[in-house]
Amino acid sequence: MVAHPIARIENLRVAFETRDGPVVGVEDLSFEVGPGETVCVVGESGSGKSVSSLSLMRLVEFGGGEIAGGHLIFDRKDGGTVDLAKTEQGLMRQIRGNEIGMIFQEPMTALNPVFTIERQLTEGLRLHRGMDRRAARARAIELLREVRIPEPERRLRQYPHELSGGMRQRVVIAMALACRPRLLIADEPTTALDVTIQAEILALIDRLKQETGTAVVFITHDMAVVAQMADRVVVMYRGRKVEEGRVEEIFEAPQHDYTRALLAAVPRLGEMRGKSAPEPMRLVGSDTVARPIPGTDTPLLQVEGLITRFAVTGGLMRRAVANVHAVEDVSFTLNKGRTLSLVGESGCGKSSAGRSILRLVEPLAGRIMLDGVDIMALDGPDLRRARADMQMVFQDPFASLNPQMCLADQVAEPLLNFGVSAAERQTRVTELFDRVGLPRSFLRRFPHELSGGQRQRVAIARALALKPKLIVADEAVSALDVSVQAQVLNLMMELQAELGLSYLFISHDMAVVERVSHDVAVMYLGRIVEKGPRAAIFENPQHPYTQALMRAVPIADPRQRKLEKDLNFKPIPSPIHPVDHAPGPSEYAEVTPGHFVLTSESGY
């Protein structure tokens, strides 16, 4: 028990009205969090962990929920306590953002697309702290620097759609930290972040709670993050708390079967050491056979000298005044039946590279060959036909799904576009739902009725619909909790073994990358700085940036926590250069057979 808890949840019950009658999201949940303490709430997608946090903010009503029972006792700044479950919305508006900050899971839905970053960051400061415009702007710049966003003055003038997913998430974190809240609720705050930024954000939250006594309720599916952050852990399953204890107890002596299964599903850095090929994970209660997936030596995708830049406009005539060098002289080969992972910091160009290969973003230069077809030479109907062979799973499932279409129609849409009959479409969609682990009762549901993880599984099913040769998976499992993530990764590897699929796997989760990859390419400021077989990159990293990346990876062991002083990150240089800037070519040294390290630093 905590002596004087800042927040105390007592016997919370939350119900939702649906077309099929009331559904209980949380049942009889109780836990508390004290000053300077971090309580991590973990569990599967749909277990009720986000519902409990939305209840503390009294936002659950805006999502069709109702607090049907229990108390939410909050210790206010002025010394009094209040039951948030019974508080008027007028008082809640004073508490939200000022005394309770929240970092939301999906940054694109948490930010207003029509307001600049400055407007959204300064609004709470001016409302709650009474700052004038100049002081609020100065504090906003300071906050953006704290969350390691380069060129904060420029970012303030931008809109959310102009930032990468990781940068948007850092803006949301800055907004939550702006007023130094008493209670910080972090709902999957590092989901969209690469490991280096994640390590710094976790250290920032940790430092904040130590300096100010802020209480932190940290909701995550990443057990390595739990090991790094938690003082105590609450494990939830189907809306109920099944286990609670100190972080060491949960990791070293889990009592509940579900907790044991959750920990077994965590990919751990180093567990693929000595293995030449990826293999599915051995899960509790699963009959998956962990057979290695060797792949082939036949090239499927060959990328040479890929360059993608985005113009930065300014002045009255909106002329190009500079360029963002998103992808700069990138070359690699991906063989049939193999996985090449692109890793690197948010904004390093890995998503732009994936989109450029599919021509969703037009490259400035380069050669892209897919199974003997020159993708750069195609246009119109020919490019459309070629896209049947290459599909993409996007980072944000809510943005990539149509909110007005039921899920069955969305998965069937690619089949409809390519003339597949109605009967065959129905059969194929049902099979795909089975393969990605979604119940058939979800076929008639809509995206807003699903959790983040369930939505991502729909996106994966849709990408598989046309039986492509290449799938570009852009953070495809980042929104999934560990047990579902492990199932989806196993599914992707089983499909690779059966169908000879090739994956360009874009990810910031180094433990997942180690598990699924045959080859790895590390990107930094638009260039590949190191590439080679997975074992060479993970066991013998050569480039300073790759070494920093490996240092930052959290380990799923609470006794091996990373200290902020050990991280020692440098500010990220800007990828924006004048229009006349002409960077040199990428030159590499071969360290061992197939293992290349960038030697030319031109363009940085």
Side-chain angles (χ1 to χ4, degrees), residues 184-195:
L184 178 65
I185 302 167
D187 187 356
E188 305 280 9
T190 58
T191 291
L193 304 180
D194 46 84
V195 286

Side-chain angles (χ1 to χ4, degrees), residues 17-40:
E17 278 300 328
T18 70
R19 284 171 293 183
D20 304 320
V23 171
V24 176
V26 171
E27 182 73 85
D28 195 27
L29 175 66
S30 299
F31 70 87
E32 55 191 36
V33 55
E37 183 183 37
T38 300
V39 174
C40 280

Side-chain angles (χ1 to χ4, degrees), residues 21 73 160 230 361 370 390 415 425 529 532 569 585:
I73 309 301
V361 168
L370 182 72
M390 48 183 190
L415 300 165
R425 284 201 305 272
V529 297
F569 290 121

Side-chain angles (χ1 to χ4, degrees), residues 324-489:
V324 178
H325 290 240
V327 181
E328 196 61 51
D329 195 22
V330 162
S331 303
F332 60 82
T333 298
L334 170 57
N335 291 346
K336 290 181 180 177
R338 288 173 76 90
T339 299
L340 169 70
S341 289
L342 279 182
V343 300
E345 286 186 303
S346 166
C348 73
K350 55 189 190 293
S351 291
S352 294
R355 289 169 188 241
S356 299
I357 288 161
L358 269 64
R359 299 261 312 269
L360 296 175
V361 168
E362 275 302 320
L364 187 69
R367 187 164 173 266
I368 303 164
M369 298 293 291
L370 182 72
D371 210 11
V373 177
D374 187 351
I375 298 300
M376 291 293 283
L378 302 178
D379 55 12
D382 293 334
L383 180 58
R384 187 172 174 275
R385 277 192 292 274
R387 285 204 177 120
D389 290 332
M390 48 183 190
Q391 292 289 300
M392 188 159 188
V393 180
F394 292 93
Q395 183 174 348
D396 185 347
F398 200 71
S400 67
L401 295 173
N402 187 328
Q404 295 178 315
M405 285 174 71
C406 76
L407 303 177
D409 291 345
Q410 304 214 40
V411 175
E413 193 173 24
L415 300 165
L416 178 66
N417 290 343
F418 282 84
V420 177
S421 68
E424 197 178 335
R425 284 201 305 272
Q426 189 172 353
T427 305
R428 180 88 178 121
V429 169
T430 308
E431 284 174 0
L432 286 163
F433 266 63
D434 292 343
R435 290 305 293 267
V436 299
L438 287 172
R440 294 185 182 186
S441 60
F442 280 27
L443 287 164
R444 308 315 307 169
R445 287 196 182 185
F446 290 83
H448 72 272
E449 297 178 281
L450 272 60
S451 69
Q454 289 165 339
R455 285 196 287 265
Q456 192 62 294
R457 281 186 272 170
V458 174
I460 291 168
R462 185 177 58 184
L464 294 170
L466 292 169
K467 301 180 180 176
K469 297 173 184 175
L470 169 70
I471 289 182
V472 178
D474 187 358
E475 304 283 8
V477 295
S478 66
L480 307 180
D481 46 82
V482 283
S483 53
V484 177
Q485 174 181 275
Q487 291 161 20
V488 171
L489 290 173

